[in-house]
Amino acid sequence: MKEIKAIVKAYDETDKDSLHAALATVVRVEGSSYRRTGARMLVLDNGTWVGGISGGCLEGDALKRARLAINNSKSTLITYDTSEDDPHQIGVGLGCNGIIDVLFTPLDFNNPDNPVEILKSCIRANRDTHILITITKLNGNWGNLLAGQVIKYTGSDSLNTFEDPGLKDRLNKAAELQISKNTSNSFHYESQDGRSADMFIEILPPEIHVVLIGHQYDVYPMSRLLKELGWRVSIVAELIKVNTKIRALADDIRPVSEFSELFVDEHTAIILMSHDYKTDKRNLPMVLRSNAPFIGMLGPRLRSEKIWKELAEENNPVSETDMQRIYAPLGLDIGAVTPEEIALSLAAGIRAAFSGRDGQFLKFRQSTIHPRN
């Protein structure tokens, strides 16, 4: 989401009277690749660009391809194959052993439904998960459909632009499948009369939201790191004790009395970091009443176990279900010492949990880093 926000910002600031632009989007990856599907790059015809589609190896050629798309006023799908030992192939020798499809779409600034405008509408929405369907390639006559067109999927009725009943039905089922899996994927359709259509079904969730409950000095490096990651940060603490530097970073700051008014969803992590035993004990039942799937507690295991024990003795036990979403001690075991290193450990633990990973060294992972087609 951070990359998309940067692209939208650059797009809004572009002098649309003198410049032209194109959007490059990774729509399919087969094998290994530094960037995954959904990676984007905004290219202006003056040579400037924001975002990226690789680790830097494909961007040079992407600039040329984007300019061609702008000049031709037509979307083009380019395949980069780094799996073949072909000296003439862009990106060969990288060792990625992957095939990457990149869609280059010229942007019509006067079209309110161009791809960047649609991304902008997603950002402005209230932390919804969006499903975007991008037409990547068409063979044959598909009427009003065009490669590069993006449709925001909200159910079968949002696919009425697809006049072919077979395509609409198959695409609707494919979208529902990807929603159930919470993963993006490519889609291919062939009609009975020999036409074909390729699309990219993208699941676009909001950024991770981290609620930090506390005002101590370590909240600042934690907030700084989270914002660098592009996550949303809310601070819950006594307002007069919140450092002014933190105020410049946080998206929301409010007292504990207003905690229940915070917007907490399935992408929210809440961290108890007051460094005061009684305060964390008092706040734990409060945060457990929220629907946050991740609740972290600082301090040693014995400290957390003591809190749970005392709450049980006070007839306010932590249920087994709630224990599943409590991470205590919070963080990955990286030997963190300084506040900045501890922030790194905490953020890595949050990312691992939301990704369904255990945070181990990749050298010990038996399967591929990312699922492969």
Side-chain angles (χ1 to χ4, degrees), residues 135 138-147 149 161-164 167 193 195-197:
I135 301 174
L138 296 171
N139 287 320
N141 183 7
W142 287 94
N144 61 335
L145 299 183
L146 294 172
Q149 188 175 351
T161 186
F162 299 97
E163 298 176 354
D164 185 296
L167 171 58
D193 57 10
R195 296 173 299 154
S196 64

Side-chain angles (χ1 to χ4, degrees), residues 36-89:
R36 307 306 296 173
T37 55
R40 290 176 170 87
M41 175 179 172
L42 177 71
V43 181
L44 303 181
D45 59 356
N46 64 0
T48 61
W49 50 277
V50 176
I53 58 172
S54 73
C57 46
L58 302 180
E59 274 68 10
D61 186 71
L63 291 174
K64 300 175 186 177
R65 303 285 187 177
R67 285 176 172 174
L68 283 174
I70 292 172
N71 291 336
N72 296 331
S73 299
K74 183 180 179 181
S75 296
T76 56
L77 185 68
I78 303 298
T79 298
Y80 296 99
D81 188 348
T82 63
S83 64
E84 299 292 334
D85 190 16
D86 179 0
H88 302 292
Q89 171 64 45

